[in-house]
Amino acid sequence: MEKWLAGVDLGGTTIKMAFINIYGEMIDKWEIDTNHTDHGKHIVTDIAKAIDQRLEKHGQGREMLLGIGMGAPGPIKGDTGVVYETVNIGWKNYPLKNLLEAETSLPVVVDNDANMAAIGEMWKGAGNGAKNLVCVTLGTGVGGGVIANGQIVRGTNGAGGEIGHITSIPDGGAACNCGKTGCLETIASATGIVRIAKEKLTNSEADSILRQAEHVTAKDVFDAAKANDRLALEIVDFVTFHLGLALAHVANALNPEKIVIGGGVSKAGDILVQHTGHYFRRFAFPRVAEGASIVTATLGNDAGVIGGAWLAKQAFLL
């Protein structure tokens, strides 16, 4: 019987998991809550239990799996699978690969979650066929994955592709969880968009649909902008200015074919892509801008688990 691959995508709120065959076809997918108690020390056990329970549902044992590919936030040492630091979970120098292998008795490969999303989009999504690709994920934070000549760029110590921590506001920017201030993550993440919206609503007396919302979300901001709400359009313009500028800087160094925007915020669709594209073309070197198309990710929340499966396939399929 053809074996499966397990993809795991650790997020700040949920852990997404899937069984995927070697051709990238989804067998099953599900998610569990991310348990932050005790600095995330129960997460690995939760994942192992969830995999066992799902295998049981399919009438299978662990021998059905070739291995596990897992994405986690923050810089990761690829060969050892040590997570240097996850600012939103609380891990520091955390031996994720070794612990998950011990809990599951399966081989494990670990990489940054945004790298996983980039690989997933390259293999089965919007970047399919592109050997030079930048993927930026706009969710609770802002992640980045860079693929050059078909290979993920990890860098010297696992921090390659940290697009979310490009400094957008050099002085007086909002504090970022990474310890710096003014990072792109403080602007273009769902969290950042909500923060900016609240500041605008507090500091302005302008009429806005957003004032009707009990708790403003990033979706509310984009929905209001689509309805030509002036305040919401100002927020979207500010966010996409900084996103387009940051992506232009990255693209000028890499000359990618595709720039894929994923994560929950990407569900805003055309308004996000068009506004970001406008600023990207303004700031990118003209030939770089000619060669790159900005597209919305097509895999949605599945990108990370599909990327994890691809990594596990590369590592463990003999």
Side-chain angles (χ1 to χ4, degrees):
M1 184 182 260
E2 186 183 274
K3 290 197 173 188
W4 300 341
L5 307 155
V8 180
D9 182 15
L10 172 61
T13 309
T14 61
I15 303 167
K16 296 165 187 71
M17 289 183 259
F19 296 144
I20 295 166
N21 70 18
I22 58 170
Y23 305 106
E25 295 161 343
M26 193 76 67
I27 307 295
D28 193 5
K29 62 177 179 175
W30 71 102
E31 59 183 55
I32 61 172
D33 292 337
T34 305
N35 185 348
H36 287 260
T37 56
D38 300 325
H39 301 290
K41 78 180 239 184
H42 306 291
I43 286 172
V44 167
T45 310
D46 289 348
I47 291 167
K49 283 178 183 171
I51 287 172
D52 282 346
Q53 287 165 0
R54 211 66 172 194
L55 283 168
E56 196 176 322
K57 180 186 157 192
H58 287 274
Q60 302 291 344
R62 288 181 188 172
E63 65 280 356
M64 187 62 188
L65 298 178
L66 267 173
I68 300 168
M70 179 168 174
I76 289 163
K77 189 164 170 56
D79 53 346
T80 63
V82 170
V83 181
Y84 287 113
E85 187 172 16
T86 57
V87 291
N88 295 325
I89 289 168
W91 290 345
K92 201 155 191 174
N93 295 319
Y94 192 79
L96 178 57
K97 171 181 157 73
N98 289 349
L99 291 172
L100 191 54
E101 284 182 339
E103 284 288 343
T104 61
S105 304
L106 288 165
V108 174
V109 60
V110 175
D111 207 330
N112 171 267
D113 56 349
N115 287 350
M116 292 290 205
I119 291 167
E121 289 291 343
M122 179 187 74
W123 189 24
K124 289 290 168 183
N128 198 11
K131 292 276 197 266
N132 295 286
L133 176 147
V134 173
C135 183
V136 59
T137 54
L138 312 177
T140 309
V142 172
V146 174
I147 294 171
N149 297 324
Q151 300 295 316
I152 198 80
V153 175
R154 296 186 176 90
T156 298
N157 60 3
E162 285 291 350
I163 295 168
H165 300 290
I166 291 172
T167 300
S168 294
I169 310 287
D171 296 303
C176 183
N177 284 336
C178 75
K180 298 201 297 123
T181 60
C183 292
L184 180 65
E185 179 166 303
T186 68
I187 296 167
S189 65
T191 320
I193 293 165
V194 168
R195 179 187 60 79
I196 294 161
K198 285 178 177 173
E199 285 178 3
K200 282 265 189 192
L201 289 166
T202 302
N203 298 329
S204 163
E205 293 180 2
D207 287 338
S208 174
I209 301 167
L210 297 174
R211 295 192 187 279
Q212 298 166 16
E214 190 178 346
H215 300 290
V216 175
T217 65
K219 181 180 185 299
D220 291 335
V221 171
F222 280 100
D223 286 347
K226 289 172 190 174
N228 284 321
D229 182 277
R230 189 175 64 80
L231 199 72
L233 283 166
E234 285 178 15
I235 298 163
V236 169
D237 189 66
F238 180 78
V239 169
T240 55
F241 170 91
H242 286 290
L243 181 58
L245 176 62
L247 291 175
H249 289 329
V250 174
N252 282 349
L254 293 157
N255 192 199
E257 178 185 343
K258 292 268 179 77
I259 296 173
V260 181
I261 301 178
V265 175
S266 72
K267 291 176 184 171
D270 289 347
I271 187 171
L272 174 66
V273 170
Q274 287 166 8
H275 280 68
T276 303
H278 166 75
Y279 287 115
F280 172 78
R281 288 184 293 276
R282 176 177 158 187
F283 297 121
F285 180 65
R287 189 158 176 83
V288 168
E290 279 171 30
S293 58
I294 299 179
V295 294
T296 306
T298 58
L299 298 178
N301 288 333
D302 295 341
V305 292
I306 290 172
W310 186 89
L311 273 186
K313 175 184 173 181
Q314 298 301 306
F316 310 128
L317 186 62
L318 301 176

